[in-house]
Amino acid sequence: MKVLVIGSGGREHAIIKAIKKNKRVTQIFAAPGNGGISTEAQCVPIKATDKEAMTDFALKNSIDYVIVAPDDPLSIGMVDALEEKGIRCFGPNMKAARIESSKVFSKNLMKKYGIPTAEYETFSDPQKAIEYLKSKSDFPTVIKADGLALGKGVIIAENLQQALDAINTIMCEKKFGGSGANIVIEEFLKGPEVTVLSFTDGITLYPMISSMDHKRAFDGNTGPNTGGMGVIAPNPHYTEEIADVCEKTIFLPTIRAMQKEDSSFKGCLYFGLMLTEQGPKVIEYNCRFGDPETQAILLLLETDLLEIMQAITDNRLSDIKIKWSSKESACVVLASGGYPDSYKTGFVINGLNKEGSVDNENLFIYHAGTEYKDGSFFTKGGRVLGVTSVASTLDSAIYEAYKALESISFEGMHYRKDIGKY
Ligand code: AMP
Ligand code: GLY
C-alpha cells in the first residue's frame, strides 16, 4: 500500500511514524515533508495547497491512500479534489472543514443546535463592531477573525482601546487578509483548557486521550499565542464525569448538527474546550489533528492508526475497537528565537543522531521546521522540534523530555520550561 501524507510539521512526522507500523504499507510519501520526515518517507516538493499537482502526483504514482493533515489544504477542498479522481483519503471535505475555516459558521452552528460556547456577535462592518464595543461594559472581550490566520487571529482585549485596536488591525489594516472580512466578538471564558481530538466517520465518534496544549510563547502562560509550545496527555483536569458531559452536550451534538447541515464530518475533529464554572464550553473546533497534541497522543494509541483511518473513509468506524495505553506523555517544543514573530533560520541543530533522533526508545524527536542537508539537520521554521516522551507517570514523562532536550541545541533555541505545570 502506497500512502501519501500532506503536510510538513511535527504532526505529520508523528502520523508517518504511526502508520509505518502497519505491515501493509510499502511506501510512504510526504508532500512537502521536512528534514526528519525525510528519514522515514520520500519527500516530494509539492506545496500542501497545490490541488492539481497533488492529484497528478497521486495518480501518476498509484497512491492508494492520502492523509490530508493541515487546515489549509482541507479548507480549500483538497479532499474533494482527490476524491473526484477516485483517490481514497483521510480528512473532511471542504464543506465540513468550514467547522474550522469559518468561525462565523461554527459559532452559528453551536447557537442553532444548543452546543455550549461563549456568547457572541458577528460583524462584517467595522463601524457596527466599534459601536457594539463602545456599548459594552465588560472586559476582557475576545475578538476573532472569521477565517484561518495561523492561530494568530484571536485577540483578547483587556479594555476598550485594545478592542478598537484589534478591529483596526483585523478589519481595516486587514492583517490577516480576507480571513478578517468578518469577525466574531465573544465572551471571555475562564477555566482550564482541554483539547479532545476525536475520530469520527460522521456517525460514530471516538474521543482520543485528552491533552493540554500550551499556546502562549513564554513561561507562566504569558506572551503571544503560538501554534502550541508543548503538550501533556492526558489532561489532568479532564475527569471521567467531565468526559461524559462533553460527549452528551458537545461531541455527539456536533457531529449530528454537521449531518443536519449536509456537512457530515469525516476525519479527526478537534474540540478546544474551556472547563468553565457553568460546565464545559467550546472555544474552537479544528477540522484536523492538533499540533503538537498529535505528537503526544499518537504515542499512546495501541490500535493501528491506518486501520482506524480507513474505517473512517469506508464509514465503518463502529466496527473498530480503539485501545489506549495507560501511560502518559509530554512534548516540549523547541522553537526558533523570536517565534511566533520574526525569527532567523538555517542554523545547524546539534545533538541529533543520523535519523534526527536520540538513542532512547522512550523518546521521540518529532521534526517540524527542519531541513536535512549535507549530513546535518538545520532549522527551517518557527517550531523546530518536539521532544516527546512516554512514561508510566506524567511527572516522569515531563522529566525525561526535559532531560533529553539538554543535549540538543541550535542558535537562538527557545522553549518553555513549565510544560505540564498548569
Ligand atoms: P483559538 O485560536 O480560537 O484556539 O484561540 C486561541 C486561544 O485564545 C485559546 O486557546 C484560548 O486560550 C484563547 N481564547 C479563545 N477564545 C477565548 C474565549 N472566548 N475566552 C477566553 N480565552 C479564549
Ligand atoms: N495546537 C493547536 C492546534 O493545533 O490548533
Side-chain angles (χ1 to χ4, degrees):
M1 191 173 167
K2 286 174 154 187
V3 183
L4 166 64
V5 177
I6 300 180
S8 61
R11 165 184 55 204
E12 288 75 13
H13 196 184
I15 290 172
I16 286 170
K17 271 203 179 280
I19 62 167
K20 241 187 148 170
K21 292 187 203 149
N22 184 302
K23 297 219 163 43
R24 289 190 298 137
V25 172
T26 49
Q27 201 171 7
I28 304 178
F29 296 91
N34 63 38
I37 290 176
S38 71
T39 68
E40 311 268 357
Q42 189 174 328
C43 293
V44 285
I46 302 174
K47 247 178 92 178
T49 47
D50 191 338
K51 289 192 275 191
E52 213 181 301
M54 205 66 84
T55 42
D56 276 359
F57 176 84
L59 287 173
K60 284 200 185 107
N61 291 277
S62 312
I63 300 293
D64 298 294
Y65 197 63
V66 182
I67 299 167
V68 189
D71 47 4
D72 299 4
L74 290 167
S75 74
I76 58 162
M78 181 63 82
V79 165
D80 312 58
L82 290 161
E83 284 181 344
E84 232 166 69
K85 302 278 181 202
I87 303 161
R88 281 159 53 76
C89 42
F90 178 83
N93 63 20
M94 186 167 162
K95 232 173 148 190
R98 285 179 304 164
I99 200 161
E100 171 170 6
S101 65
S102 169
K103 292 207 192 286
V104 173
F105 170 81
S106 66
K107 292 297 293 191
N108 289 343
L109 183 89
M110 288 185 267
K111 185 185 259 179
K112 183 167 170 189
Y113 293 93
I115 298 164
T117 187
E119 295 292 324
Y120 72 102
E121 298 285 338
T122 61
F123 297 92
S124 53
D125 175 353
Q127 211 44 49
K128 292 229 165 75
I130 290 168
E131 278 162 30
Y132 169 77
L133 285 167
K134 285 187 172 161
S135 71
K136 255 177 96 68
S137 53
D138 51 328
F139 286 91
T141 194
V142 184
I143 299 171
K144 298 183 171 182
D146 175 46
L148 301 178
L150 294 170
K152 295 181 191 166
V154 173
I155 296 169
I156 296 172
E158 301 291 340
N159 51 46
L160 177 62
Q161 191 53 49
Q162 285 182 6
L164 297 178
D165 291 347
I167 301 294
N168 193 38
T169 309
I170 299 176
M171 299 189 94
C172 306
E173 290 171 5
K174 300 189 171 39
K175 186 168 170 198
F176 307 112
S179 290
N182 295 299
I183 59 159
V184 172
I185 301 182
E186 71 176 29
E187 173 199 6
F188 178 75
L189 298 178
K190 280 199 222 80
E193 277 187 65
V194 182
T195 302
V196 181
L197 307 182
S198 65
F199 291 114
T200 179
D201 60 5
I203 308 272
T204 303
L205 178 141
Y206 293 137
M208 302 184 211
I209 296 262
S210 64
S211 61
M212 181 193 282
D213 191 10
H214 296 63
K215 287 211 167 77
R216 301 294 196 97
F218 306 126
D219 287 3
N221 284 339
T222 58
N225 259 324
T226 68
M229 293 298 291
V231 65
I232 53 167
N235 185 318
H237 298 283
Y238 193 71
T239 60
E240 268 178 40
E241 291 73 31
I242 295 174
D244 274 350
V245 173
C246 290
E247 183 126 6
K248 290 195 186 92
T249 63
I250 296 175
F251 304 160
L252 296 175
T254 299
I255 55 163
R256 288 189 193 124
M258 290 297 276
Q259 261 172 29
K260 291 210 178 98
E261 295 298 310
D262 195 24
S263 302
S264 187
F265 189 99
K266 290 172 68 163
C268 172
L269 182 53
Y270 172 126
F271 297 91
L273 308 170
M274 190 80 93
L275 307 183
T276 74
E277 277 174 10
Q278 297 83 44
K281 294 189 181 183
V282 178
I283 302 178
E284 65 161 348
Y285 294 114
N286 290 325
C287 66
R288 51 171 174 85
F289 283 97
D291 186 337
E293 288 93 333
T294 305
Q295 289 86 312
I297 289 167
L298 289 187
L299 291 179
L300 305 176
L301 178 64
E302 291 184 341
T303 310
D304 186 292
L305 177 63
L306 197 58
E307 295 299 329
I308 302 172
M309 289 178 155
Q310 291 189 294
I312 289 172
T313 304
D314 300 339
N315 302 316
R316 50 174 179 82
L317 184 60
S318 61
D319 294 349
I320 300 258
K321 289 263 173 299
I322 300 186
K323 267 190 74 188
W324 295 95
S325 155
S326 57
K327 290 188 174 170
E328 315 214 327
S329 61
C331 171
V332 181
V333 169
L334 307 183
S336 296
Y339 171 78
D341 298 322
S342 62
Y343 52 82
K344 290 196 181 127
T345 59
F347 299 118
V348 70
I349 305 171
N350 307 300
L352 301 178
N353 62 21
K354 64 179 192 317
E355 283 85 38
S357 191
V358 292
D359 301 320
N360 180 329
E361 61 177 24
N362 294 317
L363 280 163
F364 302 82
I365 312 294
Y366 291 117
H367 287 231
T370 74
E371 177 175 32
Y372 184 71
K373 236 178 16 193
D374 309 325
S376 296
F377 294 93
F378 293 86
T379 66
K380 204 191 169 186
R383 290 188 290 176
V384 177
L385 298 171
V387 180
T388 313
S389 159
V390 179
S392 50
T393 67
L394 197 51
D395 282 347
S396 45
I398 295 168
Y399 175 81
E400 293 299 334
Y402 276 107
K403 200 169 99 188
L405 67 78
E406 279 172 16
S407 62
I408 301 172
S409 64
F410 53 85
E411 197 171 318
M413 181 171 108
H414 163 71
Y415 60 91
R416 276 185 60 167
K417 309 204 172 39
D418 61 351
I419 299 305
K421 293 226 176 99
Y422 287 89

